[in-house]
Amino acid sequence: MPCLPKSTEKDLRYLIRCNNDNMESITTRRDFVKKLALGSTIALSPNLLFSKNIMVDEIPLTDYHVHLHSNFTIEEAVSNFKSLDMKFGIVEHPGRQANIVDDKSLENYVQRIHSFNAFAGLQPIDPMWHEVFSSEAISKLDYVTMDALEIPDGKGNRERIWQQRFILYNKSTFMDRYMDFHMEVLENGKSNILANPTFLPICLAPEYYKLWTESRMDKIIQFAVKNSVALEINSVYQYPKKPFIKMAKEAGAKFSFGSNGHNLQEVKNYEYCLEMVKECDLTKDDFLSI
């Protein structure tokens, strides 16, 4: 039996765990991230967790993908990142978990986050999200991050590919639709960061290196570069993998760091980000600056 890449072996182990765990239903992105973190946590470096000035080759780690939660307040986030000597940004889903539905609520949200000396961002689900807000209100945000994890089904609904029980009928058809939605998100012109790039549903995770062909990766990268969208290196999902990052660097893409963290455990471990910086020879010039 051929040896699998280390990351693929881990994904496969997680897939087996999920298939054996039929007692717990995952219905929200927050539940999924929590479940995934438990299934894929890597060893935490004491130096990473407790040392100041987390930096590699003059690249400061800023987590632009932090979500607040009833069990994870802005005050706790501030305390955590202060202890790590890191900057961070809050993103919320307008019109969903966060009560951000019009200009006034958006401006109040930005003012509150800024009062804690954090970046204020959004993570919309719908590429047409900006039609709800005025350009003036949107301009008060520090950045917008989007992903392609909820694909329109053509019937007014969305397929949430991050859910544990997402059912896949045809790999090729799925990948074609997934790529099309990536292009829609990247061509939107209203986002600064593509979150969770090259994410795959749990049922496809072991086939990462087969499904993410060079042509598919290149298309996403070229559209990101064309539209000045940075590519997130995600510390919890541990996506994208090294081949994608190296290809993106060669193409002149920018990167950002993000955890998609919803609790204290998820915003303490940035070892994967540091590993990718070293293995892909990234420099400060390769990163988004806000």
Side-chain angles (χ1 to χ4, degrees), residues 5 77 86 113 127 133 140 152 154 165 182 189 208-209 214-215 231:
M86 286 177 60
I113 299 303
F133 308 101
K140 298 182 185 301
R165 288 178 171 81
H182 271 90
Y208 182 94
Y209 294 95
E214 184 173 326
S215 61
L231 300 164

Side-chain angles (χ1 to χ4, degrees), residues 192-232:
N192 308 99
I193 299 171
L194 177 66
N196 313 308
T198 71
F199 175 92
L200 285 176
I202 292 173
C203 57
L204 293 183
E207 298 184 64
Y208 182 94
Y209 294 95
K210 177 181 178 181
L211 294 174
W212 281 115
T213 61
E214 184 173 326
S215 61
R216 283 172 176 156
M217 292 191 294
D218 183 64
K219 189 172 183 179
I220 290 177
I221 291 166
Q222 294 302 328
F223 269 71
V225 172
K226 172 187 172 184
N227 293 285
S228 301
V229 178
L231 300 164
E232 176 184 86

Side-chain angles (χ1 to χ4, degrees), residues 101-115:
V101 296
D102 54 26
D103 282 2
K104 184 61 177 178
S105 54
L106 175 59
E107 291 171 359
N108 288 342
Y109 161 74
V110 171
Q111 290 174 4
R112 180 168 184 266
I113 299 303
H114 281 171
S115 72

Side-chain angles (χ1 to χ4, degrees), residues 47-56 59-63 77-88 117 267-268 270:
N47 291 332
L48 178 62
L49 291 180
F50 302 113
S51 65
K52 294 284 186 177
N53 298 310
I54 299 179
M55 185 177 295
V56 175
I59 304 170
L61 258 71
T62 299
D63 188 340
V78 169
S79 177
N80 173 74
F81 287 104
K82 183 178 180 180
S83 70
L84 295 174
D85 201 17
M86 286 177 60
K87 294 181 179 181
F88 71 101
N117 198 32
V267 294
K268 285 184 177 294
Y270 295 89

Side-chain angles (χ1 to χ4, degrees), residues 17 24 107 127 129 215:
R17 278 197 294 273
E24 182 178 355
E107 291 171 359
W129 67 275
S215 61

